[in-house]
Amino acid sequence: MKRRELLKLAGLTAALLTTTAMLASGAHAQDKKWKIGFSQVTTIEPWRAQFNKDILAEAAKHPEVELIITDGEDKTEKQVADVENLIRQEVDALLVSPKESAGLTGVVQQAIDAKIPVFVLDRNVETNDYTQFVGGDNKLIGRAAGEYAVELLGGKGKAAGNVVEIWGGMGTQPAHDRHDGFHEFTDKEPGIKYLLDQQSGDWKQDQAYNIMATALRNNEKIDLVYGHNDPMAYGAYLAAKDVGREKDIKFIGIDGLPNEGVQLVANGELTATFTYVTPGAEGLRQAIKFLNGEKVEKTITLPTQKITKENAAQILKDNGL
C-alpha cells in the first residue's frame, strides 16, 4: 500500500477510535464531576487525529471528567453549530481549535458571554476574552525553518535558490505566522527567489501535490520547498518524484509526528521537519486545573524541535517505531 494511502487510512482509523471513545465516556456521564466540550475542526488530517488521541489519553486519567468531542468536518459552519450545541449542553468548560480565526470568533464570544471558560487550542480567535490559549509559537517555528532554509541554500549572506512555499489555510493565523517567521530570515538573502504567490494547500497533501505539479511544469529549477505542514511538504515531494526531480530539491515541513514527519525525514523523503506538539493533553489539563479553582496563565506556549536525518532515527526508537 502506498504511503499516501497509509496516511489517509491512519487518519480515518483514528477518527473511528475517537468516536468509539466518545461513546464509551458518555456511558458513565452520571459519575462525572466536570462536563468538558472539545470542538475539533477535523479528524481526517494525521496531526488532528493525533491531537484527538492525545486529549483522549489525558481524559482517561481523569475519571471525574466527561469529555464530549465534536468533529467540525473541516467546515466553519459545522464547527460553529457544534460549539452552539456545546453551549446549549451547558458544558463546564469549552476547548476549541478553530478552522478559521474570524469564523469562530463570534460563537466563542457567545460561550464567553454564557460564562463558560474557553480554552483556545492551536489557532487563535479574534478576541482576547478567552480564559487561555494553548499552542505552539508558529512564528518561532517559521523562523527556525527559515534559518535552516538559508543554511541549506548556502548560508547567511550567500544563500541562493528558487523556493516554493505552500501555505496552509489562508484564513488561519498559524499559516501567516509560519510564513512571516520564515521570511524574517529568507528575505534578507537577495539570492533567494520565491516562485509562488500565496498558494494555499489548505493543509492537505493532495492539494499541495497539485500546486507543486504546476510549479514543476513552469520552473526548470526548484531548490527548496517549504510546506506549512508535513503532509503538504510530502505532497510536493511526491509530485517531484513523479517527474524524477525529487533528488534535486530540499523539502521542509512542520508537525513532526513520529509516525509521519519524523518517518519521512528518516526515509530521506523530507529534508527536515519541526515539531508542532498537539495541545490536546495540555489543554485538557489546564481546563481541569481551572475548574478546580487554580489559577492558569493566559498563554501556554509548547516547545519545538528541529528534526533532520541526524536525530530522526533516535526519535523513532524513543517512540517504539
Side-chain angles (χ1 to χ4, degrees), residues 128-146:
N128 291 320
D129 295 337
Y130 52 79
T131 301
Q132 185 183 64
F133 172 82
V134 181
D137 186 332
N138 284 290
K139 189 166 285 188
L140 180 65
I141 294 172
R143 289 186 190 119

Side-chain angles (χ1 to χ4, degrees), residues 148 152 251 261-273 306-316:
Y148 189 55
L152 289 172
F251 298 87
V262 179
Q263 186 69 65
L264 293 171
V265 171
N267 293 345
E269 294 160 315
L270 296 188
T271 309
T273 183
K306 180 173 77 175
I307 299 170
T308 63
K309 195 82 169 177
E310 285 70 28
N311 60 350
Q314 185 60 51
I315 293 170
L316 291 175

